[in-house]
Amino acid sequence: MSFVMQPHLRVVDSAPERDFRADMHAALAAPQRSISPKYFYDARGSQLFDAICELREYYPTRTELSLLRGHAAEIAALAGREAEVVEFGAGSLRKVRLLLDALENPASYVPIDISGEHLAQAAAQLRSDYPGLAVHPVAADYTQPLQLPAGTRKSGMRLGFFPGSTIGNFDPEQALRFLRMAARVLRGGALLLGADLVKDPAVLHAAYNDEAGVTAAFNLNLLARANRELGTDFDLDGFAHGAFYNSPQRRIEMHLVSRRAQRVQLDGQTYLFEDGETLHTENSHKFSVDSLRALAAEAGFTAGPVWTDPNRLFSLHWLAAPA
């Protein structure tokens, strides 16, 4: 992939609209319709996800923030001086501030996110708040092979940061593939990874079905985005948000459920939805500490310290990348 330069932002030229269009056609034509959750994250979707993180029911963000605050000194000691921080799926850059504040003279920060507009705004604010830090945002799909900007490292380690249990959005094969790619990118450094833990299904159900309906709006925004960018004619009132815990698979599933029999047009092609038929938009796998460490070891990492909250809702993992 090649980098396209814009002021303070590197954009990987990967034809995102073409990919979205092709993936939407494939999803609508499939017997069991499913599309990648990466398409949630246009500017509006990123704003809605930030709002989800503030909800009373949504425990992962506040729990992970608490873990980062409580163990920042230990993490900084492991990272050493002049670390280069690479964040996969950077979003609003809220959590990384706790890490940057704790690190000793971090050399640079490379946030990677698929939503270029949202990333550019967040990076500009971070650059203003940390004037001595070199910030090199990259608008890219971090699930694809990555080439990081040259000249961003000094003498310290390359520290990857992958919070929010985003690893749970991948199926097991995708998660393994991502971790192997991360191990190559971070060679000789480490990955600080957040992973949501298996828990009471009622707690999980509430987290993905909030009373205010923000998660529903986030889910439905995928259809609104398709209408805006691809020219589809999804009737947003014709679909409902659905989320449930699939216990045997240890995952939350999010779906958009058709409220009636209806037709959807894309590029002159008609796709039929039956009443109750769904478009599967996201999985959020939950882990045990041991299962996450085993997955990381299979990808080539050496598992280090693990930090969990007293209620064992969430976990932070230090994973050393092979040299």
Side-chain angles (χ1 to χ4, degrees):
M1 294 181 178
S2 61
F3 287 106
V4 178
M5 290 299 298
Q6 292 183 357
H8 302 303
L9 179 68
R10 291 172 182 248
V11 181
V12 176
D13 184 10
S14 60
E17 182 183 321
R18 183 189 65 202
D19 294 346
F20 187 18
R21 186 175 301 276
D23 286 352
M24 182 60 77
H25 272 296
L28 294 176
Q32 295 182 325
R33 290 170 165 148
S34 178
I35 193 164
S36 170
K38 69 184 180 183
Y39 295 118
F40 283 137
Y41 297 100
D42 64 347
R44 176 59 177 157
S46 296
Q47 291 169 355
L48 285 166
F49 183 73
D50 288 347
I52 288 170
C53 293
E54 302 297 326
L55 294 170
R56 172 184 57 81
E57 301 97 330
Y58 195 75
Y59 64 86
T61 301
R62 63 176 175 271
T63 307
E64 188 172 34
L65 285 168
S66 178
L67 287 171
L68 285 167
R69 290 189 192 99
H71 300 284
E74 298 166 70
I75 294 166
L78 288 166
R81 297 185 71 254
E82 295 189 337
E84 177 194 44
V85 179
V86 178
E87 184 172 4
F88 302 98
S92 65
L93 314 187
R94 178 182 177 187
K95 293 171 186 171
V96 79
R97 290 169 180 265
L98 296 174
L99 188 57
L100 293 172
D101 288 344
L103 292 173
E104 184 179 357
N105 192 27
S108 59
Y109 173 55
V110 183
I112 306 167
D113 198 80
I114 198 169
S115 177
E117 180 182 350
H118 192 69
L119 176 64
Q121 293 170 356
Q125 184 61 55
L126 192 79
R127 196 177 282 112
S128 173
D129 295 342
Y130 294 81
L133 180 69
V135 181
H136 305 280
V138 176
D141 180 355
Y142 61 84
T143 66
Q144 302 301 314
L146 283 173
Q147 178 187 353
L148 296 184
T152 58
R153 277 177 95 171
K154 291 186 180 178
S155 58
M157 74 154 57
R158 177 171 280 171
L159 175 60
F161 187 43
F162 196 40
S165 201
T166 307
I167 190 71
N169 292 150
F170 302 141
D171 66 33
E173 288 186 6
Q174 291 170 333
L176 182 60
R177 188 161 59 247
F178 167 78
L179 288 172
R180 284 175 172 160
M181 179 275 294
R184 290 192 296 272
V185 169
L186 303 172
R187 188 176 296 113
L191 177 64
L192 182 63
L193 181 146
D196 200 6
L197 298 176
V198 174
K199 59 184 62 64
D200 183 345
V203 175
L204 291 168
H205 179 83
Y208 293 83
N209 293 278
D210 60 278
E211 290 183 0
V214 182
T215 308
F218 174 70
N219 201 5
L220 285 161
N221 181 66
L222 188 148
L223 302 186
R225 180 186 180 188
N227 286 350
R228 289 191 299 268
E229 297 183 15
L230 306 181
T232 53
D233 60 351
F234 284 106
D235 177 5
L236 271 61
D237 291 332
F239 289 85
H241 165 71
F244 62 90
Y245 184 56
N246 182 333
S247 184
Q249 298 293 327
R250 290 186 169 186
R251 72 190 188 197
I252 284 282
E253 294 186 16
M254 287 213 322
H255 294 254
L256 290 163
V257 185
S258 181
R259 296 178 182 270
R260 60 179 184 272
Q262 56 185 309
R263 299 169 181 264
V264 175
Q265 298 275 341
L266 174 58
D267 296 331
Q269 201 161 338
T270 300
Y271 297 98
L272 303 179
F273 276 84
E274 298 296 332
D275 186 5
E277 193 172 0
T278 77
L279 175 62
H280 188 173
T281 53
E282 184 181 51
N283 289 322
S284 183
H285 291 85
K286 310 306 171 185
F287 300 90
S288 68
V289 167
D290 287 344
S291 70
L292 193 285
R293 286 164 68 89
L295 178 65
E298 188 177 356
F301 285 99
T302 300
V306 181
W307 301 279
T308 63
D309 61 286
N311 295 321
R312 294 186 68 84
L313 295 173
F314 203 88
S315 59
L316 270 179
H317 298 253
W318 180 273
L319 305 172

mmCIF file of all heavy atoms in Angstrom, residues 273-310:
data_model
loop_
_atom_site.group_PDB
_atom_site.id
_atom_site.type_symbol
_atom_site.label_atom_id
_atom_site.label_comp_id
_atom_site.label_asym_id
_atom_site.label_seq_id
_atom_site.Cartn_x
_atom_site.Cartn_y
_atom_site.Cartn_z
ATOM 1 N N PHE A 273 -35.180 -8.627 1.526
ATOM 2 C CA PHE A 273 -35.142 -8.998 2.932
ATOM 3 C C PHE A 273 -36.503 -9.555 3.329
ATOM 4 O O PHE A 273 -37.538 -8.926 3.053
ATOM 5 C CB PHE A 273 -34.830 -7.788 3.828
ATOM 6 C CG PHE A 273 -33.375 -7.465 3.968
ATOM 7 C CD1 PHE A 273 -32.738 -6.690 3.010
ATOM 8 C CD2 PHE A 273 -32.650 -7.918 5.055
ATOM 9 C CE1 PHE A 273 -31.389 -6.376 3.136
ATOM 10 C CE2 PHE A 273 -31.307 -7.613 5.191
ATOM 11 C CZ PHE A 273 -30.675 -6.847 4.227
ATOM 12 N N GLU A 274 -36.514 -10.705 3.959
ATOM 13 C CA GLU A 274 -37.748 -11.228 4.538
ATOM 14 C C GLU A 274 -37.974 -10.595 5.909
ATOM 15 O O GLU A 274 -37.040 -10.088 6.542
ATOM 16 C CB GLU A 274 -37.665 -12.751 4.688
ATOM 17 C CG GLU A 274 -37.496 -13.486 3.372
ATOM 18 C CD GLU A 274 -38.672 -13.324 2.434
ATOM 19 O OE1 GLU A 274 -39.802 -13.114 2.943
ATOM 20 O OE2 GLU A 274 -38.477 -13.371 1.209
ATOM 21 N N ASP A 275 -39.206 -10.637 6.378
ATOM 22 C CA ASP A 275 -39.524 -10.169 7.724
ATOM 23 C C ASP A 275 -38.703 -10.974 8.735
ATOM 24 O O ASP A 275 -38.749 -12.207 8.748
ATOM 25 C CB ASP A 275 -41.019 -10.366 7.980
ATOM 26 C CG ASP A 275 -41.482 -9.776 9.309
ATOM 27 O OD1 ASP A 275 -40.666 -9.125 9.992
ATOM 28 O OD2 ASP A 275 -42.651 -9.989 9.668
ATOM 29 N N GLY A 276 -37.913 -10.274 9.561
ATOM 30 C CA GLY A 276 -37.101 -10.940 10.569
ATOM 31 C C GLY A 276 -35.705 -11.318 10.102
ATOM 32 O O GLY A 276 -34.876 -11.736 10.930
ATOM 33 N N GLU A 277 -35.412 -11.193 8.823
ATOM 34 C CA GLU A 277 -34.075 -11.507 8.330
ATOM 35 C C GLU A 277 -33.093 -10.432 8.801
ATOM 36 O O GLU A 277 -33.465 -9.267 8.968
ATOM 37 C CB GLU A 277 -34.089 -11.574 6.806
ATOM 38 C CG GLU A 277 -32.843 -12.182 6.203
ATOM 39 C CD GLU A 277 -32.991 -12.407 4.708
ATOM 40 O OE1 GLU A 277 -34.058 -12.081 4.140
ATOM 41 O OE2 GLU A 277 -32.024 -12.900 4.104
ATOM 42 N N THR A 278 -31.834 -10.816 9.009
ATOM 43 C CA THR A 278 -30.888 -9.882 9.601
ATOM 44 C C THR A 278 -29.661 -9.657 8.740
ATOM 45 O O THR A 278 -29.288 -10.501 7.918
ATOM 46 C CB THR A 278 -30.413 -10.352 10.993
ATOM 47 O OG1 THR A 278 -29.446 -11.399 10.857
ATOM 48 C CG2 THR A 278 -31.567 -10.830 11.850
ATOM 49 N N LEU A 279 -29.040 -8.507 8.972
ATOM 50 C CA LEU A 279 -27.687 -8.218 8.514
ATOM 51 C C LEU A 279 -26.825 -8.223 9.772
ATOM 52 O O LEU A 279 -26.988 -7.393 10.672
ATOM 53 C CB LEU A 279 -27.632 -6.856 7.823
ATOM 54 C CG LEU A 279 -26.244 -6.360 7.399
ATOM 55 C CD1 LEU A 279 -25.609 -7.288 6.375
ATOM 56 C CD2 LEU A 279 -26.316 -4.928 6.846
ATOM 57 N N HIS A 280 -25.914 -9.173 9.860
ATOM 58 C CA HIS A 280 -25.039 -9.350 11.023
ATOM 59 C C HIS A 280 -23.911 -8.325 10.918
ATOM 60 O O HIS A 280 -23.117 -8.365 9.978
ATOM 61 C CB HIS A 280 -24.507 -10.783 10.997
ATOM 62 C CG HIS A 280 -23.739 -11.188 12.206
ATOM 63 N ND1 HIS A 280 -23.316 -12.477 12.402
ATOM 64 C CD2 HIS A 280 -23.302 -10.501 13.286
ATOM 65 C CE1 HIS A 280 -22.655 -12.563 13.540
ATOM 66 N NE2 HIS A 280 -22.625 -11.375 14.088
ATOM 67 N N THR A 281 -23.837 -7.402 11.894
ATOM 68 C CA THR A 281 -22.914 -6.276 11.781
ATOM 69 C C THR A 281 -21.691 -6.366 12.690
ATOM 70 O O THR A 281 -20.690 -5.708 12.433
ATOM 71 C CB THR A 281 -23.637 -4.951 12.076
ATOM 72 O OG1 THR A 281 -24.308 -5.056 13.347
ATOM 73 C CG2 THR A 281 -24.652 -4.639 10.982
ATOM 74 N N GLU A 282 -21.761 -7.153 13.766
ATOM 75 C CA GLU A 282 -20.602 -7.200 14.670
ATOM 76 C C GLU A 282 -20.663 -8.423 15.562
ATOM 77 O O GLU A 282 -21.741 -8.848 15.992
ATOM 78 C CB GLU A 282 -20.554 -5.949 15.560
ATOM 79 C CG GLU A 282 -19.325 -5.884 16.458
ATOM 80 C CD GLU A 282 -19.302 -4.651 17.340
ATOM 81 O OE1 GLU A 282 -20.300 -4.379 18.028
ATOM 82 O OE2 GLU A 282 -18.272 -3.955 17.349
ATOM 83 N N ASN A 283 -19.484 -8.975 15.837
ATOM 84 C CA ASN A 283 -19.277 -9.894 16.953
ATOM 85 C C ASN A 283 -18.366 -9.217 17.961
ATOM 86 O O ASN A 283 -17.470 -8.445 17.582
ATOM 87 C CB ASN A 283 -18.615 -11.199 16.495
ATOM 88 C CG ASN A 283 -19.550 -12.079 15.687
ATOM 89 O OD1 ASN A 283 -20.736 -12.166 15.972
ATOM 90 N ND2 ASN A 283 -19.012 -12.732 14.667
ATOM 91 N N SER A 284 -18.570 -9.497 19.229
ATOM 92 C CA SER A 284 -17.662 -9.029 20.265
ATOM 93 C C SER A 284 -17.355 -10.217 21.171
ATOM 94 O O SER A 284 -18.089 -10.513 22.107
ATOM 95 C CB SER A 284 -18.294 -7.879 21.066
ATOM 96 O OG SER A 284 -17.373 -7.388 22.025
ATOM 97 N N HIS A 285 -16.263 -10.917 20.825
ATOM 98 C CA HIS A 285 -15.881 -12.108 21.574
ATOM 99 C C HIS A 285 -15.357 -11.724 22.951
ATOM 100 O O HIS A 285 -14.686 -10.704 23.115
ATOM 101 C CB HIS A 285 -14.808 -12.889 20.822
ATOM 102 C CG HIS A 285 -15.301 -13.530 19.560
ATOM 103 N ND1 HIS A 285 -15.349 -12.855 18.357
ATOM 104 C CD2 HIS A 285 -15.771 -14.778 19.314
ATOM 105 C CE1 HIS A 285 -15.827 -13.663 17.420
ATOM 106 N NE2 HIS A 285 -16.089 -14.831 17.975
ATOM 107 N N LYS A 286 -15.648 -12.562 23.922
ATOM 108 C CA LYS A 286 -15.173 -12.395 25.287
ATOM 109 C C LYS A 286 -14.156 -13.490 25.598
ATOM 110 O O LYS A 286 -14.240 -14.597 25.067
ATOM 111 C CB LYS A 286 -16.345 -12.432 26.273
ATOM 112 C CG LYS A 286 -17.498 -11.496 25.899
ATOM 113 C CD LYS A 286 -17.053 -10.054 25.700
ATOM 114 C CE LYS A 286 -18.151 -9.174 25.125
ATOM 115 N NZ LYS A 286 -17.697 -7.791 24.826
ATOM 116 N N PHE A 287 -13.202 -13.177 26.473
ATOM 117 C CA PHE A 287 -12.069 -14.057 26.700
ATOM 118 C C PHE A 287 -11.934 -14.404 28.176
ATOM 119 O O PHE A 287 -12.399 -13.666 29.048
ATOM 120 C CB PHE A 287 -10.765 -13.366 26.247
ATOM 121 C CG PHE A 287 -10.738 -12.986 24.802
ATOM 122 C CD1 PHE A 287 -11.205 -11.740 24.383
ATOM 123 C CD2 PHE A 287 -10.246 -13.853 23.839
ATOM 124 C CE1 PHE A 287 -11.181 -11.376 23.050
ATOM 125 C CE2 PHE A 287 -10.224 -13.500 22.494
ATOM 126 C CZ PHE A 287 -10.683 -12.261 22.114
ATOM 127 N N SER A 288 -11.240 -15.494 28.443
ATOM 128 C CA SER A 288 -10.626 -15.700 29.744
ATOM 129 C C SER A 288 -9.196 -15.196 29.634
ATOM 130 O O SER A 288 -8.657 -15.040 28.527
ATOM 131 C CB SER A 288 -10.648 -17.173 30.142
ATOM 132 O OG SER A 288 -9.795 -17.924 29.291
ATOM 133 N N VAL A 289 -8.565 -14.941 30.774
ATOM 134 C CA VAL A 289 -7.159 -14.525 30.736
ATOM 135 C C VAL A 289 -6.322 -15.583 30.036
ATOM 136 O O VAL A 289 -5.477 -15.274 29.178
ATOM 137 C CB VAL A 289 -6.649 -14.256 32.165
ATOM 138 C CG1 VAL A 289 -5.120 -14.135 32.182
ATOM 139 C CG2 VAL A 289 -7.278 -12.986 32.721
ATOM 140 N N ASP A 290 -6.567 -16.838 30.354
ATOM 141 C CA ASP A 290 -5.762 -17.920 29.768
ATOM 142 C C ASP A 290 -5.981 -18.047 28.267
ATOM 143 O O ASP A 290 -5.036 -18.308 27.516
ATOM 144 C CB ASP A 290 -6.084 -19.246 30.465
ATOM 145 C CG ASP A 290 -5.520 -19.327 31.872
ATOM 146 O OD1 ASP A 290 -4.639 -18.503 32.207
ATOM 147 O OD2 ASP A 290 -5.977 -20.192 32.645
ATOM 148 N N SER A 291 -7.230 -17.876 27.801
ATOM 149 C CA SER A 291 -7.489 -18.032 26.364
ATOM 150 C C SER A 291 -6.831 -16.912 25.570
ATOM 151 O O SER A 291 -6.323 -17.140 24.465
ATOM 152 C CB SER A 291 -8.990 -18.090 26.084
ATOM 153 O OG SER A 291 -9.620 -16.836 26.296
ATOM 154 N N LEU A 292 -6.793 -15.702 26.123
ATOM 155 C CA LEU A 292 -6.138 -14.602 25.416
ATOM 156 C C LEU A 292 -4.629 -14.821 25.370
ATOM 157 O O LEU A 292 -3.986 -14.620 24.335
ATOM 158 C CB LEU A 292 -6.493 -13.278 26.101
ATOM 159 C CG LEU A 292 -6.174 -11.965 25.357
ATOM 160 C CD1 LEU A 292 -4.695 -11.636 25.367
ATOM 161 C CD2 LEU A 292 -6.683 -12.000 23.915
ATOM 162 N N ARG A 293 -4.061 -15.270 26.474
ATOM 163 C CA ARG A 293 -2.618 -15.508 26.503
ATOM 164 C C ARG A 293 -2.228 -16.634 25.535
ATOM 165 O O ARG A 293 -1.180 -16.566 24.884
ATOM 166 C CB ARG A 293 -2.179 -15.829 27.935
ATOM 167 C CG ARG A 293 -2.173 -14.608 28.839
ATOM 168 C CD ARG A 293 -2.108 -14.982 30.315
ATOM 169 N NE ARG A 293 -0.845 -15.584 30.699
ATOM 170 C CZ ARG A 293 0.229 -14.912 31.116
ATOM 171 N NH1 ARG A 293 0.191 -13.585 31.193
ATOM 172 N NH2 ARG A 293 1.338 -15.539 31.472
ATOM 173 N N ALA A 294 -3.074 -17.648 25.443
ATOM 174 C CA ALA A 294 -2.797 -18.750 24.514
ATOM 175 C C ALA A 294 -2.852 -18.269 23.068
ATOM 176 O O ALA A 294 -2.020 -18.659 22.232
ATOM 177 C CB ALA A 294 -3.789 -19.888 24.741
ATOM 178 N N LEU A 295 -3.832 -17.411 22.742
ATOM 179 C CA LEU A 295 -3.934 -16.857 21.396
ATOM 180 C C LEU A 295 -2.698 -16.021 21.062
ATOM 181 O O LEU A 295 -2.133 -16.124 19.964
ATOM 182 C CB LEU A 295 -5.201 -16.003 21.295
ATOM 183 C CG LEU A 295 -5.455 -15.300 19.962
ATOM 184 C CD1 LEU A 295 -5.703 -16.311 18.849
ATOM 185 C CD2 LEU A 295 -6.659 -14.348 20.084
ATOM 186 N N ALA A 296 -2.255 -15.197 22.014
ATOM 187 C CA ALA A 296 -1.078 -14.367 21.793
ATOM 188 C C ALA A 296 0.173 -15.223 21.586
ATOM 189 O O ALA A 296 1.014 -14.915 20.735
ATOM 190 C CB ALA A 296 -0.883 -13.415 22.972
ATOM 191 N N ALA A 297 0.296 -16.282 22.365
ATOM 192 C CA ALA A 297 1.452 -17.167 22.220
ATOM 193 C C ALA A 297 1.459 -17.836 20.852
ATOM 194 O O ALA A 297 2.522 -17.986 20.227
ATOM 195 C CB ALA A 297 1.443 -18.216 23.328
ATOM 196 N N GLU A 298 0.279 -18.219 20.350
ATOM 197 C CA GLU A 298 0.196 -18.823 19.026
ATOM 198 C C GLU A 298 0.646 -17.853 17.949
ATOM 199 O O GLU A 298 1.202 -18.265 16.911
ATOM 200 C CB GLU A 298 -1.235 -19.301 18.758
ATOM 201 C CG GLU A 298 -1.387 -20.111 17.489
ATOM 202 C CD GLU A 298 -2.797 -20.645 17.281
ATOM 203 O OE1 GLU A 298 -3.653 -20.453 18.175
ATOM 204 O OE2 GLU A 298 -3.049 -21.235 16.210
ATOM 205 N N ALA A 299 0.433 -16.547 18.179
ATOM 206 C CA ALA A 299 0.832 -15.522 17.215
ATOM 207 C C ALA A 299 2.312 -15.172 17.325
ATOM 208 O O ALA A 299 2.826 -14.406 16.497
ATOM 209 C CB ALA A 299 -0.012 -14.276 17.408
ATOM 210 N N GLY A 300 3.002 -15.691 18.336
ATOM 211 C CA GLY A 300 4.425 -15.436 18.464
ATOM 212 C C GLY A 300 4.817 -14.526 19.604
ATOM 213 O O GLY A 300 6.000 -14.288 19.843
ATOM 214 N N PHE A 301 3.844 -13.972 20.330
ATOM 215 C CA PHE A 301 4.145 -13.117 21.471
ATOM 216 C C PHE A 301 4.535 -13.953 22.691
ATOM 217 O O PHE A 301 4.145 -15.117 22.819
ATOM 218 C CB PHE A 301 2.927 -12.260 21.839
ATOM 219 C CG PHE A 301 2.657 -11.115 20.916
ATOM 220 C CD1 PHE A 301 1.697 -11.218 19.917
ATOM 221 C CD2 PHE A 301 3.343 -9.914 21.043
ATOM 222 C CE1 PHE A 301 1.431 -10.155 19.054
ATOM 223 C CE2 PHE A 301 3.091 -8.850 20.189
ATOM 224 C CZ PHE A 301 2.132 -8.973 19.198
ATOM 225 N N THR A 302 5.259 -13.332 23.593
ATOM 226 C CA THR A 302 5.526 -13.907 24.911
ATOM 227 C C THR A 302 4.691 -13.152 25.921
ATOM 228 O O THR A 302 4.835 -11.930 26.082
ATOM 229 C CB THR A 302 7.015 -13.789 25.278
ATOM 230 O OG1 THR A 302 7.797 -14.495 24.312
ATOM 231 C CG2 THR A 302 7.272 -14.373 26.663
ATOM 232 N N ALA A 303 3.773 -13.859 26.588
ATOM 233 C CA ALA A 303 2.851 -13.216 27.521
ATOM 234 C C ALA A 303 3.596 -12.745 28.764
ATOM 235 O O ALA A 303 4.411 -13.474 29.338
ATOM 236 C CB ALA A 303 1.736 -14.176 27.897
ATOM 237 N N GLY A 304 3.320 -11.490 29.160
ATOM 238 C CA GLY A 304 3.917 -10.905 30.354
ATOM 239 C C GLY A 304 2.868 -10.640 31.409
ATOM 240 O O GLY A 304 1.917 -11.424 31.555
ATOM 241 N N PRO A 305 2.986 -9.537 32.137
ATOM 242 C CA PRO A 305 2.021 -9.228 33.195
ATOM 243 C C PRO A 305 0.600 -9.058 32.654
ATOM 244 O O PRO A 305 0.385 -8.637 31.513
ATOM 245 C CB PRO A 305 2.543 -7.914 33.779
ATOM 246 C CG PRO A 305 3.983 -7.870 33.404
ATOM 247 C CD PRO A 305 4.087 -8.567 32.084
ATOM 248 N N VAL A 306 -0.383 -9.380 33.495
ATOM 249 C CA VAL A 306 -1.807 -9.174 33.201
ATOM 250 C C VAL A 306 -2.404 -8.393 34.367
ATOM 251 O O VAL A 306 -2.151 -8.722 35.527
ATOM 252 C CB VAL A 306 -2.566 -10.505 33.046
ATOM 253 C CG1 VAL A 306 -4.037 -10.244 32.720
ATOM 254 C CG2 VAL A 306 -1.924 -11.380 31.993
ATOM 255 N N TRP A 307 -3.186 -7.379 34.051
ATOM 256 C CA TRP A 307 -3.850 -6.591 35.085
ATOM 257 C C TRP A 307 -5.361 -6.703 34.887
ATOM 258 O O TRP A 307 -5.864 -6.526 33.768
ATOM 259 C CB TRP A 307 -3.427 -5.133 34.992
ATOM 260 C CG TRP A 307 -1.943 -4.939 35.148
ATOM 261 C CD1 TRP A 307 -1.231 -4.903 36.309
ATOM 262 C CD2 TRP A 307 -0.982 -4.736 34.098
ATOM 263 N NE1 TRP A 307 0.106 -4.705 36.051
ATOM 264 C CE2 TRP A 307 0.292 -4.599 34.698
ATOM 265 C CE3 TRP A 307 -1.074 -4.677 32.705
ATOM 266 C CZ2 TRP A 307 1.456 -4.396 33.955
ATOM 267 C CZ3 TRP A 307 0.085 -4.474 31.966
ATOM 268 C CH2 TRP A 307 1.330 -4.335 32.583
ATOM 269 N N THR A 308 -6.095 -7.005 35.959
ATOM 270 C CA THR A 308 -7.554 -7.068 35.909
ATOM 271 C C THR A 308 -8.136 -6.249 37.054
ATOM 272 O O THR A 308 -7.462 -5.996 38.067
ATOM 273 C CB THR A 308 -8.069 -8.512 36.006
ATOM 274 O OG1 THR A 308 -7.705 -9.065 37.281
ATOM 275 C CG2 THR A 308 -7.501 -9.388 34.907
ATOM 276 N N ASP A 309 -9.383 -5.841 36.910
ATOM 277 C CA ASP A 309 -10.092 -5.124 37.962
ATOM 278 C C ASP A 309 -10.595 -6.116 39.013
ATOM 279 O O ASP A 309 -10.637 -7.327 38.760
ATOM 280 C CB ASP A 309 -11.256 -4.339 37.356
ATOM 281 C CG ASP A 309 -12.253 -5.251 36.679
ATOM 282 O OD1 ASP A 309 -11.933 -5.757 35.577
ATOM 283 O OD2 ASP A 309 -13.335 -5.496 37.248
ATOM 284 N N PRO A 310 -10.991 -5.643 40.205
ATOM 285 C CA PRO A 310 -11.435 -6.557 41.270
ATOM 286 C C PRO A 310 -12.618 -7.438 40.874
ATOM 287 O O PRO A 310 -12.727 -8.574 41.358
ATOM 288 C CB PRO A 310 -11.815 -5.608 42.411
ATOM 289 C CG PRO A 310 -10.997 -4.384 42.181
ATOM 290 C CD PRO A 310 -10.903 -4.250 40.686
#
